[in-house]
Amino acid sequence: MSYAGPDFEPPQPRRPRRGPLTVALAALVPGALLGWLVYETAGGSGNDGGSGQATVRSSPPAASSAPSDDAKEPGASPKPTDTSSASAPAASGPLKGKVVVIDPGHNPGNFRHASEINRKVDIGTNRKECDTTGTSTNDGYTEAKFTLDVAHRMRTLLQEQGATVKLTQDGDRPFGPCVDERARIGNEAKADAVVSVHADGSGAGNRGFHVILPGAVKAGAADTRAIVGPSRDLGERVAGRFVAVTGSAPSDYVGDGSGLVTRKDLGGLNLSTVPKVFIECGNMRDSKDAALLTSGAWRQKAAQGISEGIVSFLRG
């Protein structure tokens, strides 16, 4: 997700760059992040790392998703179809009875619907645009394609654990959903956990992932006070497993190296009544991060790392 989009402020000042070979990652948050790995600038392969967290069995890497665009539809953001809100029957497993909502950031068709996605919606603290087009790599691989591909891989992994998995969109609608509807889908599903998947569009040279946590907000329709604690737990576990599986390091341009950022300006978090976090899996505008984000094998690791964090959170 680009910091130039309506749901983001300008990036914070860039932190000092990593050394040419490795960086020792300190334990900057409790619990799940105590097991930071050493990061290799070539994009290390990563592994389970023996952190003691629950492990999701990894499926073979799937082909990159390239969802088709539906016909244009004027007016307000259309309702999600059965494909986006429904889940295939869950298998038996440790997460049987749990509901996970995956929110693939943006929509491949948003760029065709500028007036609709620029429509302002209420996010509690103020009004912001319905959605953005998202960002892309310099070679044109879009954030919307990336998020859907990772979401599909996560869905498979989590269903194998017995969870009921719902997507807020599956490339099956012409645009959207808007940020308020994305929150509403998770709320109405009574989700046990929601993760919104993104990739950043910061400046070249900025690298790494970060997880965005909801801040305490009580304004208008927004009241996050009950979910701040469990969302932080979810976010720490996702961050810890993401670094362990992918080998990626926390962002060197936001979060002070912790991989965690708290925000009060995102409608998808402000309007959530269930535990929810965003993850920016890397910076699409940096060539080294882009090489990872465009790799199907790496996206499988990203999906597994996020899924393992969710499993750890749900199993306690």
Side-chain angles (χ1 to χ4, degrees):
M1 181 181 291
S2 172
Y3 276 87
D7 246 1
F8 283 90
E9 301 166 350
Q12 299 176 14
R14 184 175 164 189
R15 303 289 170 187
R17 290 299 307 277
R18 298 183 176 89
L21 295 178
T22 61
V23 173
L25 300 177
L28 296 175
V29 291
L33 296 187
L34 287 176
W36 288 114
L37 303 179
V38 173
Y39 175 73
E40 299 180 3
T41 57
S45 60
N47 52 51
D48 195 320
S51 69
Q53 301 289 351
T55 299
V56 177
R57 186 174 72 253
S58 176
S59 299
S64 177
S65 172
S68 60
D69 294 327
D70 289 335
K72 296 180 181 179
E73 183 176 316
S77 180
K79 295 295 183 183
T81 66
D82 289 342
T83 304
S84 62
S85 61
S87 171
S92 295
L95 298 188
K96 189 169 182 62
K98 299 293 187 180
V99 177
V100 176
V101 170
I102 305 170
D103 178 29
H106 312 290
N107 181 311
N110 276 357
F111 74 97
R112 296 191 182 95
H113 296 271
S115 62
E116 290 92 344
I117 67 168
N118 285 327
R119 176 173 62 88
K120 297 290 183 70
V121 298
D122 185 4
I123 67 165
T125 52
N126 60 2
R127 295 181 66 81
K128 299 187 87 169
E129 285 80 356
C130 159
D131 201 1
T132 72
T133 59
T135 188
S136 67
T137 66
N138 293 332
D139 292 332
Y141 180 65
T142 66
E143 181 183 3
K145 287 184 177 181
F146 170 82
T147 63
L148 268 179
D149 183 77
V150 172
H152 291 159
R153 296 168 189 267
M154 288 174 60
R155 178 169 60 189
T156 298
L157 292 167
L158 291 165
Q159 285 176 342
E160 287 175 351
Q161 295 290 305
T164 296
V165 181
K166 300 174 184 290
L167 270 59
T168 59
Q169 59 95 10
D170 200 3
D172 52 353
R173 50 193 293 164
F175 66 92
C178 295
V179 294
D180 56 341
E181 185 183 345
R182 289 174 184 270
R184 189 162 60 249
I185 290 169
N187 296 344
E188 292 178 351
K190 294 179 171 45
D192 296 288
V194 183
V195 174
S196 188
V197 180
H198 290 270
D200 207 0
S202 185
N206 292 338
R207 297 200 62 192
F209 78 93
H210 61 279
V211 176
I212 304 175
L213 314 174
V217 171
K218 173 103 170 49
D223 187 352
T224 62
R225 293 174 297 175
I227 68 164
V228 166
S231 295
R232 173 167 283 274
D233 185 19
L234 171 62
E236 289 179 353
R237 291 171 188 263
V238 166
R241 296 312 302 154
F242 191 84
V243 73
V245 176
T246 67
S248 290
S251 169
D252 60 8
Y253 58 100
V254 291
D256 295 320
S258 70
L260 301 175
V261 177
T262 299
R263 301 279 297 270
K264 296 182 180 181
D265 61 325
L266 302 180
L269 295 179
N270 286 358
L271 299 174
S272 183
T273 59
V274 295
K276 182 174 182 178
V277 299
F278 283 38
I279 181 167
E280 299 280 3
C281 296
N283 177 19
M284 293 195 120
R285 293 298 185 175
D286 176 80
S287 60
K288 291 180 179 178
D289 271 10
L292 300 176
L293 297 165
T294 55
S295 163
W298 188 88
R299 291 195 299 272
Q300 184 66 25
K301 291 179 182 179
Q304 181 168 345
I306 300 168
S307 297
E308 286 188 10
I310 294 170
V311 172
S312 175
F313 171 74
L314 294 179
R315 297 187 70 180

